[in-house]
Amino acid sequence: METPLNIIPIRKWFKQLSNKPVIISGPCSAETEKQLIETAKAINDIGKVQIFRAGIWKPRTRPVNFEGVGEKGLLWLKKAKEQTGLLTTVEVATPKHIEKCLKFGVDILWIGARTTSNPFSINELTQVLKGVDIPVMIKNPINPDINLWVGAIERFNKIGINKLAAIHRGFFPFELTSLRNIPKWEIPIELKRNFHNLSIICDPSHIAGKRKYINEISQKALDLDMDGLMIESHISPDKALTDSKQQITPKELKLMLDSLVIRTSNSDNFDFINSIEKYRDQIDSIDTQLIELLAQRMEIVKQIGVYKKNNDVTILQLSRWEKIINSRINFGLKLGLSEKLIKKIMQLIHKESIQKQNEIMNN
Ligand code: PEP
Ligand code: MN
């Protein structure tokens, strides 16, 4: 994971992509020539989109669903490109898909979430890309496993693809949630920390699953300094053959893009730098104290563990744990912290404490 890869950031792939954020938009699926070209033109008229996306082969959970128009869609996409000047990108999942995309002059390939989850598929795709200079964007795997994502990036890089970007489209939710896929933001942030040159694009459409959340998620992604957005747009979303609930019209896309606040990640303003440094010093000091306190707590936990062992007392006493969690939540609430946060932190600490006492018991 720490190997520095010679990755080229998205802003250097094509001259049209030199400004941040890069905006990718287009329908979930190409459906007809008319739909594709009309959508491309309307999206191009916004003046803020650089890359046109369209699914040509669709990975569907059940075979009864629309599985894409196939190769003829690439011809429509080529026409859309000729008529608008937009760059194009298509999801590829098999070596055949790649061959067809290369034949029809698709500018950028993207790997879907289901494919990233399967190292065998990734290996097969890399085989046909040896010696080819084409950018590849890799969506996160369905499960929140950063190593699968890293693995796919490494596999493409190993065969010589260095125009690589990651697309964060959220992770399968195991709990009931209002979003279609959970954005575990810490995972793309960790990815960026490991590969500084790797551009991260957020796909708010697949995270949201519903139109109404797309704006908020896009703004959040930009505030987290992500390099671009991939947003699904369709001329008549309600009639779309795939992902109809999350697609927006080009008109809505324009309104949304106009409403986004684009902040810079660094400011040259002296006062800003000065005050942010001061705050960061405070945060550093508080974090150090938090960790010291945690270490002290763990020491006491260990001593209790020894005591329990010597007196043949079980590690877990449910009533004590209930008292702890309730009192900490109440205290947190008084200080303006959410129940969810305190609960999560206390559960983590408790889990670690039990593990430490377990080690003592079994020693
Ligand atoms: C898509 O972009 O339409 C798609 C199928 O996405 P994902 O691979 O993220 O599910
Ligand atoms: Mn889709």
Side-chain angles (χ1 to χ4, degrees):
M1 183 125 143
E2 283 76 24
T3 23
L5 307 178
N6 59 337
I7 291 172
I8 300 176
I10 196 166
R11 65 173 189 280
K12 293 190 179 159
W13 294 357
F14 297 94
K15 62 175 186 318
Q16 298 96 306
L17 305 182
S18 54
N19 289 326
K20 196 171 161 181
V22 166
I23 307 291
I24 305 164
S25 188
C28 179
S29 301
E31 296 166 5
T32 64
E33 179 169 348
K34 186 168 176 281
Q35 167 247 8
L36 202 66
I37 299 209
E38 271 182 27
T39 312
K41 282 184 174 166
I43 282 176
N44 189 44
D45 286 346
I46 299 173
K48 289 188 175 180
V49 178
Q50 299 82 35
I51 306 174
F52 187 56
R53 66 150 278 158
I56 301 291
W57 302 277
K58 299 304 296 178
R60 306 311 302 278
T61 306
R62 304 215 18 229
V64 288
N65 297 325
F66 175 67
E67 291 188 302
V69 291
E71 190 172 340
K72 63 176 184 266
L74 291 174
L75 190 64
W76 308 337
L77 196 62
K78 191 159 173 264
K79 287 189 189 167
K81 177 180 166 169
E82 283 160 3
Q83 293 182 31
T84 59
L86 289 166
L87 296 164
T88 54
T89 186
V90 167
E91 174 179 352
V92 290
T94 70
K96 242 266 114 34
H97 295 165
I98 295 186
E99 279 162 27
K100 301 283 181 205
C101 284
L102 295 177
K103 183 172 138 199
F104 282 91
V106 171
D107 296 295
I108 301 165
L109 305 176
W110 101 70
I111 311 299
R114 290 155 194 80
T115 310
T116 308
S117 306
N118 184 350
F120 285 132
S121 302
I122 297 291
N123 275 342
E124 279 185 6
L125 299 184
T126 61
Q127 290 313 306
V128 284
L129 282 176
K130 279 186 184 156
V132 181
D133 179 23
I134 190 163
V136 179
M137 304 189 291
I138 303 173
K139 287 201 171 192
N140 63 258
I142 304 275
N143 290 327
D145 179 352
I146 189 169
N147 285 322
L148 262 180
W149 206 359
V150 168
I153 294 165
E154 286 173 335
R155 285 185 160 92
F156 280 102
N157 193 243
K158 221 165 106 185
I159 58 98
I161 300 285
N162 49 16
K163 291 174 184 150
L164 286 165
I167 303 178
H168 173 224
R169 49 79 80 196
F171 301 91
F172 183 81
F174 290 100
E175 299 135 34
L176 192 66
T177 128
S178 50
L179 299 174
R180 181 175 174 194
N181 291 292
I182 299 297
K184 289 180 174 288
W185 300 102
E186 68 279 12
I187 294 184
I189 290 169
E190 179 62 14
L191 197 65
K192 182 86 179 172
R193 215 173 58 78
N194 281 281
F195 306 126
H196 289 189
N197 271 346
L198 182 76
S199 304
I200 312 269
I201 307 294
C202 177
D203 172 348
S205 306
H206 288 87
I207 290 176
K210 291 185 201 84
R211 273 161 224 154
K212 64 176 177 185
Y213 300 125
I214 291 177
N215 203 327
E216 184 187 323
I217 297 166
S218 300
Q219 185 64 58
K220 169 114 195 202
L222 295 186
D223 291 342
L224 290 174
D225 203 24
M226 301 214 166
D227 303 275
L229 300 170
M230 179 190 256
I231 302 167
E232 287 186 338
S233 177
H234 190 289
I235 31 165
S236 29
D238 289 330
K239 293 197 189 122
L241 299 179
T242 55
D243 288 351
S244 67
K245 290 196 173 64
Q246 71 193 32
Q247 301 206 61
I248 56 177
T249 62
K251 214 183 239 161
E252 287 164 332
L253 178 69
K254 178 181 172 5
L255 284 176
M256 202 218 86
L257 292 175
D258 286 345
S259 79
L260 291 177
V261 183
I262 297 166
R263 302 179 170 97
T264 48
S265 57
N266 279 306
S267 169
D268 294 334
N269 180 299
F270 184 75
D271 284 343
F272 168 80
I273 294 172
N274 235 351
S275 50
I276 204 126
E277 278 310 317
K278 231 169 39 205
Y279 288 130
R280 282 184 176 157
D281 284 348
Q282 287 175 17
I283 293 275
D284 290 350
S285 148
I286 290 171
D287 285 352
T288 312
Q289 292 175 59
L290 275 174
I291 294 168
E292 278 170 0
L293 284 172
L294 265 179
Q296 280 176 31
R297 192 186 193 281
M298 280 306 156
E299 268 316 305
I300 298 174
V301 161
K302 282 188 209 158
Q303 286 169 24
I304 297 178
V306 174
Y307 187 75
K308 283 179 182 168
K309 183 179 179 173
N310 293 340
N311 290 281
D312 281 334
V313 178
T314 57
I315 292 178
L316 181 70
Q317 275 108 32
L318 208 53
S319 59
R320 164 70 182 151
W321 167 233
E322 261 168 10
K323 241 188 230 159
I324 289 185
I325 191 130
N326 290 333
S327 64
R328 287 3 170 218
I329 287 174
N330 281 335
F331 185 54
L333 286 173
K334 274 190 205 140
L335 299 180
L337 298 170
S338 75
E339 171 169 349
K340 196 170 145 208
L341 175 72
I342 301 292
K343 205 167 164 183
K344 251 195 184 154
I345 293 175
M346 290 314 300
Q347 279 169 339
L348 271 177
I349 293 176
H350 189 239
K351 199 171 152 198
E352 180 73 16
S353 305
I354 287 185
Q355 199 177 318
K356 284 276 164 292
Q357 293 192 348
N358 238 327
E359 283 166 16
I360 290 168
M361 287 282 174
N362 297 320
N363 250 326

